[in-house]
Amino acid sequence: ELAAKFPRRSVEILDWSDTHARVLFRVTGGTDPGRVFVYQRLEDLVVEIFQSATWLAAAQLNATRFFEFDAPDGAHLSGYLTWPAKPRLDPPPLLVIFPSGFPGKAQPAFDPEAQVFADLGFAVARLNHRSVAGVRAEDVPALRAAVDRVSVDDARVAIEWIAARNPDRPFDRKRVAALGRGFGGYLAVRALQLQP
């Protein structure tokens, strides 16, 4: 019900009443850092409670777009691409950010860190793990044997896909960096080793 009211946005349920007549939820997406609403189901009424980071105007933020595609092996890959509004280099370097956990959850639509990196002139690709929507049976052996190689290969495929689908916005293919925290940090180091 809530996702239908907020198309192309991420809806996260925060809490609800005992009867589920009222639902507290957060909506994020694009350049919107987030808003919190109450949904009164009986009246079909949505009331905004507050906005996150009201000092951030959408016009000041870098454009962020969700992407998804099927990899050559059939896995469904997705993530977000944040493009610098004012690139310092032409074409800008690409920063690939690996998710911190495994299997982890999907990246949020709005990420303040991606905005900071885009302000510094990077195109930022934040990747989801291929298993974020559930693990396919055919992926299990590869994930058990070398989850790091699968994730690095997925990043390489995503870079190729982004380059092919955005010819009007090229990035510097010789300046691609990787970043992550926790398990994502390990993947960033492995990406340097496996795909220097």
Side-chain angles (χ1 to χ4, degrees):
E1 290 175 51
L2 297 174
K5 293 182 182 301
F6 296 91
R8 298 185 322 231
R9 300 278 189 225
S10 296
V11 177
E12 175 187 7
I13 295 178
L14 303 173
D15 204 357
W16 53 80
S17 64
D18 292 339
T19 62
H20 297 115
R22 288 196 176 104
V23 179
L24 182 69
F25 64 99
R26 176 183 301 120
V27 176
T28 58
T31 56
D32 189 349
R35 299 166 190 258
V36 174
F37 297 86
V38 170
Y39 176 45
Q40 299 179 98
R41 291 184 75 195
L42 299 176
E43 299 87 0
D44 193 28
L45 179 66
V46 175
V47 179
E48 183 176 326
I49 304 299
F50 67 87
Q51 297 179 16
S52 300
T54 55
W55 61 89
L56 292 176
Q60 297 172 321
L61 297 175
N62 303 287
T64 299
R65 299 284 180 261
F66 177 73
F67 65 86
E68 61 183 337
F69 65 98
D70 290 330
D73 68 355
H76 191 72
L77 303 178
S78 63
Y80 289 92
L81 179 64
T82 302
W83 196 261
K86 298 176 184 173
R88 295 181 183 198
L89 298 173
D90 188 24
L94 178 68
L95 178 63
V96 176
I97 300 179
F98 288 97
S100 59
F102 186 83
K105 57 183 180 176
Q107 297 272 8
F110 178 82
D111 183 51
E113 185 176 71
Q115 290 292 322
V116 169
F117 284 122
D119 283 344
L120 293 172
F122 287 93
V124 182
R126 294 179 295 120
L127 307 176
N128 292 321
H129 286 296
R130 69 171 40 210
S131 59
V132 76
V135 178
R136 300 178 319 148
E138 54 269 29
D139 289 339
V140 172
L143 290 171
R144 283 186 178 153
V147 69
D148 55 346
R149 289 184 186 276
V150 170
S151 295
V152 170
D153 287 345
D154 286 349
R156 185 186 49 75
V157 168
I159 290 168
E160 297 298 328
W161 186 88
I162 290 168
R165 296 305 182 280
N166 298 288
D168 56 324
R169 286 189 159 179
F171 56 87
D172 189 342
R173 303 291 294 273
K174 294 181 180 178
R175 291 189 172 103
V176 177
L179 177 72
R181 289 185 179 73
F183 183 65
Y186 168 72
L187 292 176
V189 170
R190 287 297 286 152
L192 180 62
Q193 294 172 332
L194 297 171
Q195 296 288 327

